[in-house]
Amino acid sequence: MPGGGPAAQAPAPAYGSAAQGSPTPEGGPPPDGRPAPQAPAPAYGPAAQGTPTPEGSPTPEAGSRPASTPEAPQAGPGPAGTPPPGGSAPEGFGPPPPTAPPHGTPAPPPGPAYGPPSQAPAYGGYGAPGYGPPPGGPAPSAYGPPELLEPPAAAPAPPPAPPEPLRPVAAALLNLTGLGLGYVLVRAWLPAVLCWAATAGLLLIALPADVDGVPGGLLVGYLALLVLAAADAARRARRTALAWRLRAPLAAALGVVLLAVPAASAFAYEAARDEAVEDMLLERLDEADRLVADQDGQDFAGSERAYRSALDTYRDLVRDHGGSRAADRVPDRLDAYYKAVARPYADGRYCQAIAPLTYLRTLPDRIGENRLGRLATWPDDRLATSLYECGSAAVDRGDGTHLQELLTTFPDSDAARKVVPALGAAIDDRTADLKGPDPCSATEKLTRVRAVAASLPGGKGGSLTARAERAVQSGEYACGVDEFKDGQFTEAAKRMRDYADTYKASGKRERARTIAIAAEVAAERPQAGRKLPAQRGPGSGQEFVVKNDGASAVEVLFTGPATGTVKLGACAGCTPYASRAEGKSKACKASRSYPQKTLRLPPGEYHFLYKRGTGGTGLVRDHSDGTTVQGGYRYTDCTYVVSGGLGGIGGLSPRT
């Protein structure tokens, strides 16, 4: 090839074609003084590059062949202006490379291009070319005049993403987690923020977990919001590509996995709420325990309301919250509850223990026998024992209520079998006391024991009642005698009269009546009660005539060597006397028949009591007097009424 080796090829740019240009002689200005034309901006795709002629190389003449260039590799297009074998231009991006001129025609120099000047090596070397047109003026371009390119317009909106079935599903699932990740996936930031705000608001309301939990309306509204957000995210994902080059199947799988977050959160919240409920129930249990502890040992009447309140708490825990820790502790608490209520029994205060133990026996109906277990019958023996002990102590008071309840409620209990023997022993003990210093007290106790024995249900006290009756009869007589000796004449008189009226078959009836007469006289005339009267009535001795000069009947009681009583009828036409002196001078001396009785009294000192009831003169005061009966005399005693003083109250004066 003339002029030396082959022409050097300029390296092709990475994207687009390099502009062709002609070197300018070093230091030479452009011919016309204008700036060198700029190479055009590279276009998309490779372009052919011009081949500069080495400086000093001869220009091919007409008729000569162009310098040959080596063939480009087959793997891709060669340098600009170098056709592949066979003469066809390489395919690619950018304008086609210039073709070689016909044989014999000199190759025109490459025309200027827009863009920065191309660099061409000189004689196989590399260096920066000079600026400006080649010497001799600008060469015409092989493609005609240069074309001015306008700056590229704004990038158009990206086309809708190709349809992908799992993409809406993934967005919906991610939004159902409540984390707004479906919106994040499609780059919808404002709805994502709204989802975050809704979830944060729910957490602020729900946490910390309490007994009431989240209001139902709020929870329904939040779930509806999640469903709407899921639907909206699915709608957006149909026409929007996923962010972060995340494939739809992976996003859908991530959504399924993240659904465990709200599910686990719900379970965790429910567990926290259950724990709050447990704490609340335990606190209620503790309050009931404190209430029971405060009432322990107190009087049940004043503590019953508190005990009932604590029991209601225990019952509600077992009935309404079975399976809770508080309910599981109730059986142990009931043990303490029963012991606190029954504290009087443990302290030996049996009468005070009856009411609380009776209350405890009602609990199986309120709580349930199966829930109480052994506690259902726990109070029975204790109550039976309390009824027996308290009832035995009440026998001397005549109160058989507790013994009756014992025999009725627990007839087969050990305590019930003790009742009859205990009453028999009580009768024997009180009977022995009749010979003691206080027979009246023993008699009263026997009377009460008899009442208790008679009140026993089922005829269980029949034999005891008969025994007690005989003991009481003996006690009444012994008590009357003791009262007479103690100077309690009024009480002795009444007791002995009652004895004589009650025990008519008794061998001591007459003796009791004698003592009663003497006691009545002694009540008005104490010297008559210096000793018990002799058991002797009138019938032998001195004649003693008693007459009545009064308008009302009179009863004359006397005691002494003989004791008795005589009754005289009213004197018809008799009137009271104005004074005692008038009565003594005129009584029983009128020519009329006076009611009279004649007695035979042994000699001795006698005491009389004149008991006059009501008559024509109204109320008349009783009168007592005494006299001595001597042998060999006949005595006349005239009773009369003296009026005088306020109210016309007079008195009786015996006359001898």
Side-chain angles (χ1 to χ4, degrees), residues 11 13 67 73 80 122 137 183 194 273 287 343 388 390 472 513 520 524 547 550 591:
Y183 285 129
L194 295 178
R273 182 172 175 269
E287 290 178 358
R343 183 66 60 192
Y388 171 76
C390 186
V472 168
R513 292 179 65 179
E520 191 169 358
E524 294 293 333
K547 295 182 179 181
S591 56

PDB file of all heavy atoms in Angstrom, residues 11 13 67 73 80 122 137 183 194 273 287 343 388 390 472 513 520 524 547 550 591:
ATOM      1  N   PRO A  11     -10.945   3.922  18.138  1.00  0.00           N
ATOM      2  CA  PRO A  11     -11.800   2.996  18.943  1.00  0.00           C
ATOM      3  C   PRO A  11     -13.235   3.465  19.011  1.00  0.00           C
ATOM      4  O   PRO A  11     -13.510   4.647  19.090  1.00  0.00           O
ATOM      5  CB  PRO A  11     -11.149   3.030  20.334  1.00  0.00           C
ATOM      6  CG  PRO A  11     -10.416   4.334  20.403  1.00  0.00           C
ATOM      7  CD  PRO A  11      -9.954   4.625  19.020  1.00  0.00           C
ATOM      8  N   PRO A  13     -16.941   4.108  20.594  1.00  0.00           N
ATOM      9  CA  PRO A  13     -17.466   4.384  21.949  1.00  0.00           C
ATOM     10  C   PRO A  13     -18.338   3.246  22.428  1.00  0.00           C
ATOM     11  O   PRO A  13     -18.824   2.446  21.642  1.00  0.00           O
ATOM     12  CB  PRO A  13     -18.234   5.685  21.798  1.00  0.00           C
ATOM     13  CG  PRO A  13     -18.648   5.706  20.351  1.00  0.00           C
ATOM     14  CD  PRO A  13     -17.538   5.028  19.605  1.00  0.00           C
ATOM     15  N   ALA A  67      -6.956   2.501   0.063  1.00  0.00           N
ATOM     16  CA  ALA A  67      -6.154   1.649   0.955  1.00  0.00           C
ATOM     17  C   ALA A  67      -7.055   0.605   1.594  1.00  0.00           C
ATOM     18  O   ALA A  67      -8.146   0.884   2.037  1.00  0.00           O
ATOM     19  CB  ALA A  67      -5.482   2.503   2.033  1.00  0.00           C
ATOM     20  N   PRO A  73     -13.551  -8.514  12.994  1.00  0.00           N
ATOM     21  CA  PRO A  73     -13.926  -9.849  13.491  1.00  0.00           C
ATOM     22  C   PRO A  73     -15.370 -10.143  13.202  1.00  0.00           C
ATOM     23  O   PRO A  73     -16.205  -9.255  13.088  1.00  0.00           O
ATOM     24  CB  PRO A  73     -13.676  -9.753  14.994  1.00  0.00           C
ATOM     25  CG  PRO A  73     -12.717  -8.613  15.178  1.00  0.00           C
ATOM     26  CD  PRO A  73     -13.001  -7.666  14.069  1.00  0.00           C
ATOM     27  N   ALA A  80     -15.876   1.850  11.874  1.00  0.00           N
ATOM     28  CA  ALA A  80     -16.634   2.612  10.874  1.00  0.00           C
ATOM     29  C   ALA A  80     -15.903   2.636   9.571  1.00  0.00           C
ATOM     30  O   ALA A  80     -14.704   2.864   9.504  1.00  0.00           O
ATOM     31  CB  ALA A  80     -16.873   4.036  11.398  1.00  0.00           C
ATOM     32  N   ALA A 122      -1.894   9.710  15.057  1.00  0.00           N
ATOM     33  CA  ALA A 122      -1.003   9.998  13.903  1.00  0.00           C
ATOM     34  C   ALA A 122       0.002   8.891  13.792  1.00  0.00           C
ATOM     35  O   ALA A 122       0.711   8.604  14.757  1.00  0.00           O
ATOM     36  CB  ALA A 122      -0.297  11.350  14.096  1.00  0.00           C
ATOM     37  N   GLY A 137     -10.136  24.070   3.580  1.00  0.00           N
ATOM     38  CA  GLY A 137     -11.585  24.295   3.699  1.00  0.00           C
ATOM     39  C   GLY A 137     -12.307  23.039   4.113  1.00  0.00           C
ATOM     40  O   GLY A 137     -11.789  21.933   4.022  1.00  0.00           O
ATOM     41  N   TYR A 183     -49.452  -1.079  50.643  1.00  0.00           N
ATOM     42  CA  TYR A 183     -49.270   0.243  50.038  1.00  0.00           C
ATOM     43  C   TYR A 183     -47.791   0.529  49.801  1.00  0.00           C
ATOM     44  O   TYR A 183     -47.411   1.154  48.808  1.00  0.00           O
ATOM     45  CB  TYR A 183     -49.876   1.310  50.935  1.00  0.00           C
ATOM     46  CG  TYR A 183     -51.382   1.354  50.890  1.00  0.00           C
ATOM     47  CD1 TYR A 183     -52.129   1.339  52.057  1.00  0.00           C
ATOM     48  CD2 TYR A 183     -52.063   1.423  49.679  1.00  0.00           C
ATOM     49  CE1 TYR A 183     -53.510   1.383  52.034  1.00  0.00           C
ATOM     50  CE2 TYR A 183     -53.445   1.468  49.640  1.00  0.00           C
ATOM     51  CZ  TYR A 183     -54.161   1.446  50.804  1.00  0.00           C
ATOM     52  OH  TYR A 183     -55.528   1.488  50.772  1.00  0.00           O
ATOM     53  N   LEU A 194     -51.668   6.386  56.610  1.00  0.00           N
ATOM     54  CA  LEU A 194     -52.977   6.289  57.255  1.00  0.00           C
ATOM     55  C   LEU A 194     -53.163   4.935  57.930  1.00  0.00           C
ATOM     56  O   LEU A 194     -53.723   4.841  59.033  1.00  0.00           O
ATOM     57  CB  LEU A 194     -54.086   6.534  56.221  1.00  0.00           C
ATOM     58  CG  LEU A 194     -54.130   7.939  55.614  1.00  0.00           C
ATOM     59  CD1 LEU A 194     -55.243   8.037  54.578  1.00  0.00           C
ATOM     60  CD2 LEU A 194     -54.340   8.980  56.718  1.00  0.00           C
ATOM     61  N   ARG A 273     -54.952  -9.989  78.302  1.00  0.00           N
ATOM     62  CA  ARG A 273     -56.262  -9.661  78.877  1.00  0.00           C
ATOM     63  C   ARG A 273     -56.687 -10.722  79.889  1.00  0.00           C
ATOM     64  O   ARG A 273     -57.232 -10.408  80.952  1.00  0.00           O
ATOM     65  CB  ARG A 273     -57.296  -9.547  77.773  1.00  0.00           C
ATOM     66  CG  ARG A 273     -58.683  -9.170  78.255  1.00  0.00           C
ATOM     67  CD  ARG A 273     -59.603  -8.874  77.082  1.00  0.00           C
ATOM     68  NE  ARG A 273     -60.950  -8.621  77.541  1.00  0.00           N
ATOM     69  CZ  ARG A 273     -61.894  -9.549  77.672  1.00  0.00           C
ATOM     70  NH1 ARG A 273     -61.599 -10.807  77.351  1.00  0.00           N
ATOM     71  NH2 ARG A 273     -63.100  -9.255  78.096  1.00  0.00           N
ATOM     72  N   GLU A 287     -59.599  -9.606  98.728  1.00  0.00           N
ATOM     73  CA  GLU A 287     -60.508  -8.753  99.488  1.00  0.00           C
ATOM     74  C   GLU A 287     -61.455  -9.599 100.341  1.00  0.00           C
ATOM     75  O   GLU A 287     -61.727  -9.273 101.511  1.00  0.00           O
ATOM     76  CB  GLU A 287     -61.308  -7.865  98.536  1.00  0.00           C
ATOM     77  CG  GLU A 287     -60.467  -6.786  97.850  1.00  0.00           C
ATOM     78  CD  GLU A 287     -61.285  -5.967  96.877  1.00  0.00           C
ATOM     79  OE1 GLU A 287     -62.501  -6.275  96.718  1.00  0.00           O
ATOM     80  OE2 GLU A 287     -60.734  -5.040  96.264  1.00  0.00           O
ATOM     81  N   ARG A 343     -65.467 -20.304 114.792  1.00  0.00           N
ATOM     82  CA  ARG A 343     -64.509 -20.025 115.848  1.00  0.00           C
ATOM     83  C   ARG A 343     -65.095 -20.186 117.258  1.00  0.00           C
ATOM     84  O   ARG A 343     -64.415 -20.706 118.155  1.00  0.00           O
ATOM     85  CB  ARG A 343     -63.954 -18.603 115.684  1.00  0.00           C
ATOM     86  CG  ARG A 343     -62.884 -18.232 116.708  1.00  0.00           C
ATOM     87  CD  ARG A 343     -61.644 -19.076 116.502  1.00  0.00           C
ATOM     88  NE  ARG A 343     -61.096 -18.867 115.170  1.00  0.00           N
ATOM     89  CZ  ARG A 343     -60.164 -19.614 114.620  1.00  0.00           C
ATOM     90  NH1 ARG A 343     -59.692 -20.658 115.302  1.00  0.00           N
ATOM     91  NH2 ARG A 343     -59.716 -19.371 113.401  1.00  0.00           N
ATOM     92  N   TYR A 388     -76.191 -30.024 122.023  1.00  0.00           N
ATOM     93  CA  TYR A 388     -76.247 -30.818 123.256  1.00  0.00           C
ATOM     94  C   TYR A 388     -75.662 -30.043 124.439  1.00  0.00           C
ATOM     95  O   TYR A 388     -76.270 -29.977 125.520  1.00  0.00           O
ATOM     96  CB  TYR A 388     -75.501 -32.132 123.066  1.00  0.00           C
ATOM     97  CG  TYR A 388     -75.340 -32.899 124.341  1.00  0.00           C
ATOM     98  CD1 TYR A 388     -76.408 -33.603 124.880  1.00  0.00           C
ATOM     99  CD2 TYR A 388     -74.125 -32.898 125.039  1.00  0.00           C
ATOM    100  CE1 TYR A 388     -76.274 -34.289 126.080  1.00  0.00           C
ATOM    101  CE2 TYR A 388     -73.989 -33.591 126.235  1.00  0.00           C
ATOM    102  CZ  TYR A 388     -75.066 -34.284 126.752  1.00  0.00           C
ATOM    103  OH  TYR A 388     -74.933 -34.951 127.938  1.00  0.00           O
ATOM    104  N   CYS A 390     -75.097 -26.817 124.834  1.00  0.00           N
ATOM    105  CA  CYS A 390     -75.875 -25.624 125.195  1.00  0.00           C
ATOM    106  C   CYS A 390     -77.236 -26.016 125.759  1.00  0.00           C
ATOM    107  O   CYS A 390     -77.728 -25.408 126.717  1.00  0.00           O
ATOM    108  CB  CYS A 390     -76.046 -24.730 123.966  1.00  0.00           C
ATOM    109  SG  CYS A 390     -76.837 -23.147 124.311  1.00  0.00           S
ATOM    110  N   VAL A 472     -90.541 -33.197 142.012  1.00  0.00           N
ATOM    111  CA  VAL A 472     -91.074 -31.847 142.201  1.00  0.00           C
ATOM    112  C   VAL A 472     -92.070 -31.840 143.353  1.00  0.00           C
ATOM    113  O   VAL A 472     -92.118 -30.890 144.174  1.00  0.00           O
ATOM    114  CB  VAL A 472     -91.719 -31.345 140.895  1.00  0.00           C
ATOM    115  CG1 VAL A 472     -92.532 -30.086 141.135  1.00  0.00           C
ATOM    116  CG2 VAL A 472     -90.652 -31.079 139.849  1.00  0.00           C
ATOM    117  N   ARG A 513    -101.771 -28.254 154.581  1.00  0.00           N
ATOM    118  CA  ARG A 513    -102.833 -27.291 154.857  1.00  0.00           C
ATOM    119  C   ARG A 513    -102.649 -26.684 156.249  1.00  0.00           C
ATOM    120  O   ARG A 513    -102.885 -25.488 156.460  1.00  0.00           O
ATOM    121  CB  ARG A 513    -104.190 -27.981 154.754  1.00  0.00           C
ATOM    122  CG  ARG A 513    -104.529 -28.408 153.336  1.00  0.00           C
ATOM    123  CD  ARG A 513    -105.871 -29.100 153.280  1.00  0.00           C
ATOM    124  NE  ARG A 513    -106.938 -28.165 153.639  1.00  0.00           N
ATOM    125  CZ  ARG A 513    -108.239 -28.494 153.658  1.00  0.00           C
ATOM    126  NH1 ARG A 513    -108.602 -29.739 153.347  1.00  0.00           N
ATOM    127  NH2 ARG A 513    -109.150 -27.621 153.982  1.00  0.00           N
ATOM    128  N   GLU A 520    -100.277 -18.338 157.311  1.00  0.00           N
ATOM    129  CA  GLU A 520    -101.097 -17.172 156.999  1.00  0.00           C
ATOM    130  C   GLU A 520    -101.332 -16.335 158.247  1.00  0.00           C
ATOM    131  O   GLU A 520    -101.319 -15.098 158.197  1.00  0.00           O
ATOM    132  CB  GLU A 520    -102.424 -17.638 156.395  1.00  0.00           C
ATOM    133  CG  GLU A 520    -103.228 -16.506 155.795  1.00  0.00           C
ATOM    134  CD  GLU A 520    -104.408 -16.997 154.976  1.00  0.00           C
ATOM    135  OE1 GLU A 520    -104.582 -18.232 154.844  1.00  0.00           O
ATOM    136  OE2 GLU A 520    -105.158 -16.145 154.458  1.00  0.00           O
ATOM    137  N   GLU A 524     -99.630 -12.204 159.560  1.00  0.00           N
ATOM    138  CA  GLU A 524    -100.201 -11.036 160.203  1.00  0.00           C
ATOM    139  C   GLU A 524     -99.724 -10.920 161.652  1.00  0.00           C
ATOM    140  O   GLU A 524     -99.672  -9.833 162.224  1.00  0.00           O
ATOM    141  CB  GLU A 524    -101.727 -11.144 160.182  1.00  0.00           C
ATOM    142  CG  GLU A 524    -102.331 -11.084 158.799  1.00  0.00           C
ATOM    143  CD  GLU A 524    -102.152  -9.721 158.150  1.00  0.00           C
ATOM    144  OE1 GLU A 524    -102.050  -8.716 158.898  1.00  0.00           O
ATOM    145  OE2 GLU A 524    -102.098  -9.644 156.896  1.00  0.00           O
ATOM    146  N   LYS A 547    -118.784 -15.997 167.586  1.00  0.00           N
ATOM    147  CA  LYS A 547    -119.997 -15.400 167.026  1.00  0.00           C
ATOM    148  C   LYS A 547    -119.614 -14.282 166.054  1.00  0.00           C
ATOM    149  O   LYS A 547    -118.568 -13.655 166.197  1.00  0.00           O
ATOM    150  CB  LYS A 547    -120.871 -14.843 168.141  1.00  0.00           C
ATOM    151  CG  LYS A 547    -121.423 -15.887 169.106  1.00  0.00           C
ATOM    152  CD  LYS A 547    -122.309 -15.225 170.148  1.00  0.00           C
ATOM    153  CE  LYS A 547    -122.900 -16.267 171.116  1.00  0.00           C
ATOM    154  NZ  LYS A 547    -123.800 -15.653 172.137  1.00  0.00           N
ATOM    155  N   GLY A 550    -121.374  -9.021 162.483  1.00  0.00           N
ATOM    156  CA  GLY A 550    -121.054  -8.175 161.349  1.00  0.00           C
ATOM    157  C   GLY A 550    -121.941  -8.481 160.167  1.00  0.00           C
ATOM    158  O   GLY A 550    -122.544  -9.554 160.064  1.00  0.00           O
ATOM    159  N   SER A 591    -131.007  -8.834 171.254  1.00  0.00           N
ATOM    160  CA  SER A 591    -131.900  -9.985 171.280  1.00  0.00           C
ATOM    161  C   SER A 591    -132.126 -10.493 169.854  1.00  0.00           C
ATOM    162  O   SER A 591    -133.190 -10.336 169.275  1.00  0.00           O
ATOM    163  CB  SER A 591    -133.229  -9.583 171.924  1.00  0.00           C
ATOM    164  OG  SER A 591    -133.800  -8.479 171.245  1.00  0.00           O
TER     165      SER A 591
END
